[in-house]
Amino acid sequence: METGRNYIHGAWTASASGGAFEKRNPANTDELIGAFPRSTAKEVQAAVEAARESFPAWRRLSRIRRGEYFDAFVQLVKRDHEAIARLVSRECGKALNEARADVTEGIHMAQYVFGATRMPYGDVVASEIPEKDSFMRRRPKGVVAVITPWNFPFAIPLWLLGPALVEGNTAVFKPSRETPRTGQRIVELFAEAGLPPGVLNLVHGIGEEAGDPLIRHPDVDVVLFTGSYEVGSQIKTVCAADYRKMAACEMGGKNPLIVCEDADLSLAVNAAILSAFKTTGQRCTSASRLIVHERVLDEFERRFVETARRITVGDPLDEKIFMGPLISASAREKVERYNALSREEGAMILLEGRRPDGPAHAKGHFLTPHIYRMAHNPRSRVLREEVFGPHVALLPFRDLEEAVAVANATEYGLAVSVITEDYRKARFIREECEYGLGYVNLPTIGAEVHLPFGGVKQSGTGMPSASTLIDAVTHRTAWTINHAREIKMPQGLKTEIG
Ligand code: NAD
């Protein structure tokens, strides 16, 4: 068992109060991964002060020099790739293959920001006055709070920290209480890469105890949050009360996958299985609604359920396993409540989600896929709310207008996928659905870092993560230089007095 530490101004420290929380392996709760500081406003204060103090020197470094720390970080992550992936898998219960992909995605984000440091970070802009040169230049905003979920414990912190730090901000990072060791590993690797003290600070803890004082701190300029709508909407409201503070929140999803009449059904079933059950359905982009044309629904249903029955559930470190456990006992109970609710709401259950028995599953939060068929009902909770587990509905549609109406009948708007051989249908979905990430003949999962990652409605606040997050962490400034010997004003303004 390890004792975790906060990282404040380049020093690894225990919690000031002495409080700690435990982290256990969700596939085997006998395995204690570590005890981590249960930080409070006191540690948050020290971390924000460290970030503020380090900001001027970090901002003044060359952008390219800042990027080089990310290059050094990437080399270290590559060195430790497999060990980090195993840690991710043990800590959050993802199948090892997915944990490796999580680490690889973190590498991609660090590589992206490293490369971006040699790209333009502003624009040369024309002026009405020929002797004037005008520029748009981006400047860092200051201290950035980074609050992350557990389900991509390596990649998501990099999506947020990458743009924030490379653009010259300093940061206080609070990882999820479910994945503290992976969060700490990221910071250890940046420290090993030589990042100056105070540029990246780590505060472990519980959302209400450590996250809340962090987002409220008056010296935090930007809050970058990824997590649930319930928490993100609170954060957005708190930050709105401080006129200087901006909050970019990426939140949940209730994503539809639409299977058209002309779809290649093998591809459709494969896309649906990956969308619904990868990461045990615990991705913000997981599909929990499969909207299928009524003419192919029976055939699709038969093949989908048959394939889902073969899904292996178990120890995520076993390479043959498709689905690991849910993240926690309460997460599993929540999914089970929604499974029961689907029946109460009148669904026809096609495959009942259950706790697998046997000694291999006794110590983990395992649950098998739950699949049901239902007519669309705009009041249904199971069809509108994020479940975040292996729980999926099959819904029939007659024409594309209806498919779009069903797809949009939720407060979320993150990912959508359409399976079709007809480009006109794909275009109709592209134009009429409400989403941030759209796919044709692909699952709803599988984003890449150089594309914007963000949703609409309750899924996001319009500042997509990853590469496009630069808009949240920089301020666009205008800079204008006069090369004439006299002053010439735009809009025909006169310069003579009298
Ligand atoms: P969560 O909202 O419970 O927690 C996210 C983070 O917020 C954690 O670090 C938590 O400690 C912190 N937090 C909790 N209460 C807080 C408070 N009052 N003040 C400040 N911080 C607080 O989410 P989770 O369970 O870790 O992750 C799952 C959710 O994240 C799902 O809804 C999923 O869809 C979403 N998610 C979204 C994206 C995206 O990019 N849109 C990506 C991954 C996950």
Side-chain angles (χ1 to χ4, degrees):
M1 195 211 55
E2 276 198 56
T3 304
R5 292 273 182 264
N6 288 334
Y7 187 67
I8 299 176
H9 215 301
W12 292 101
T13 54
S15 136
S17 65
F21 66 92
E22 283 186 349
K23 171 60 198 177
R24 289 176 184 273
N25 179 342
N28 172 13
T29 52
D30 281 350
E31 188 193 341
L32 184 59
I33 289 176
F36 295 84
R38 192 160 167 171
S39 312
T40 61
K42 200 166 170 186
E43 290 91 336
V44 166
Q45 176 65 26
V48 174
E49 275 174 20
R52 176 58 61 193
E53 201 184 307
S54 312
F55 174 56
W58 180 245
R59 172 177 72 74
R60 287 186 199 116
L61 273 190
S62 130
R63 197 161 183 267
I64 289 170
R65 179 72 194 102
R66 289 197 298 265
E68 281 166 354
Y69 289 107
F70 279 82
D71 183 38
F73 171 82
V74 166
Q75 309 315 317
L76 299 174
V77 179
K78 285 185 174 173
R79 179 196 70 190
D80 295 350
H81 193 292
E82 184 63 14
I84 303 169
R86 287 182 168 270
L87 168 64
V88 166
S89 190
R90 279 170 54 231
E91 199 169 46
C92 79
K94 294 190 166 181
L96 188 53
N97 161 265
E98 292 191 53
R100 291 188 185 116
D102 193 333
V103 180
T104 299
E105 194 173 332
I107 291 178
H108 291 165
M109 193 61 213
Q111 287 172 328
Y112 180 89
V113 296
F114 168 56
T117 59
R118 286 182 189 266
M119 301 297 280
Y121 63 103
D123 295 317
V124 181
V125 182
S127 167
E128 292 168 33
I129 317 291
E131 296 91 341
K132 256 167 63 175
D133 284 345
S134 292
F135 304 91
M136 187 284 282
R137 302 179 73 256
R138 290 179 182 269
R139 285 170 64 84
K141 288 191 172 162
V143 175
V144 176
V146 169
I147 299 183
T148 51
W150 64 266
N151 68 335
F152 279 81
F154 199 85
I156 289 183
L158 267 299
W159 287 3
L160 309 183
L161 290 170
L165 297 181
V166 142
E167 294 304 328
N169 304 279
T170 53
V172 178
F173 167 37
K174 196 210 81 62
S176 164
R177 67 174 296 180
E178 295 292 355
T179 48
R181 189 65 194 90
T182 307
Q184 185 169 318
R185 192 75 200 107
I186 292 172
V187 177
E188 287 166 357
L189 290 164
F190 271 114
E192 191 182 345
L195 199 72
V199 169
L200 171 58
N201 304 278
L202 170 73
V203 177
H204 286 293
I206 316 295
E208 295 77 10
E209 297 170 6
D212 184 67
L214 179 57
I215 61 143
R216 288 179 194 272
H217 197 291
D219 223 11
V220 165
D221 300 286
V222 181
V223 175
L224 302 180
F225 168 84
T226 303
S228 63
Y229 169 74
E230 289 67 30
V231 175
S233 56
Q234 280 177 42
I235 289 180
K236 191 73 186 159
T237 307
V238 168
C239 294
D242 179 342
Y243 73 94
R244 293 163 310 173
K245 200 173 279 182
M246 106 91 70
C249 302
E250 283 307 325
M251 300 169 287
K254 185 74 186 173
N255 309 293
L257 179 134
I258 300 168
V259 179
C260 296
E261 193 182 352
D262 57 276
D264 171 337
L265 280 195
S266 300
L267 188 144
V269 168
N270 193 6
I273 291 282
L274 298 176
S275 303
F277 302 125
K278 270 277 185 205
T279 328
T280 320
Q282 299 169 106
R283 290 188 181 219
C284 54
T285 52
S286 293
S288 49
R289 296 177 302 148
L290 307 177
I291 305 170
V292 186
H293 193 280
E294 60 182 9
R295 281 207 202 106
V296 292
L297 181 55
D298 287 342
E299 174 66 4
F300 174 86
E301 176 187 300
R302 190 185 59 72
R303 290 165 68 171
F304 178 70
V305 173
E306 189 185 288
T307 312
R309 270 185 214 285
R310 291 193 279 112
I311 284 180
T312 44
V313 181
D315 179 2
L317 288 173
D318 177 346
E319 302 267 8
K320 296 188 292 297
I321 287 302
F322 187 85
M323 270 186 11
L326 275 300
I327 187 63
S328 63
S330 61
R332 179 166 69 172
E333 282 158 20
K334 177 184 160 191
V335 178
E336 287 175 326
R337 281 198 300 279
Y338 276 103
N339 289 354
L341 187 59
S342 65
R343 190 185 294 279
E344 286 160 33
E345 290 190 347
M348 188 209 305
I349 310 297
L350 304 172
L351 190 63
E352 182 90 51
R354 56 176 184 82
R355 298 184 181 200
D357 36 32
H361 297 104
K363 297 287 172 60
H365 312 300
F366 297 103
L367 201 58
T368 62
H370 183 78
I371 306 171
Y372 54 97
R373 185 164 168 170
M374 204 165 163
H376 177 64
N377 169 5
R379 283 181 306 283
S380 156
R381 286 185 52 209
V382 287
L383 297 182
R384 285 195 341 260
E385 297 174 11
E386 186 181 46
V387 176
F388 220 54
H391 168 113
V392 66
L394 267 63
L395 300 152
F397 75 89
R398 235 168 280 135
D399 56 44
L400 270 195
E401 300 272 355
E402 188 185 6
V404 167
V406 172
N408 290 345
T410 164
E411 288 308 313
Y412 292 102
L414 188 55
V416 63
S417 169
V418 56
I419 313 296
T420 181
E421 298 296 308
D422 181 343
Y423 67 90
R424 289 189 182 86
K425 289 183 183 145
R427 186 175 193 277
F428 187 77
I429 297 300
R430 186 187 79 194
E431 295 304 307
E432 301 305 324
C433 278
E434 296 162 338
Y435 63 93
L437 299 107
Y439 296 97
V440 182
N441 291 331
L442 284 167
T444 52
I445 64 164
E448 298 183 44
V449 299
H450 49 278
L451 282 161
F453 192 103
V456 297
K457 297 155 81 181
Q458 286 187 3
S459 294
T461 51
M463 289 275 173
S465 286
S467 54
T468 42
L469 200 65
I470 186 171
D471 289 327
V473 295
T474 57
H475 185 70
R476 293 174 193 225
T477 60
W479 185 253
T480 303
I481 306 164
N482 176 25
H483 295 280
R485 292 281 173 198
E486 75 273 40
I487 291 175
K488 299 182 185 178
M489 298 300 285
Q491 300 108 26
L493 271 184
K494 290 188 172 161
T495 53
E496 306 84 28
I497 303 166

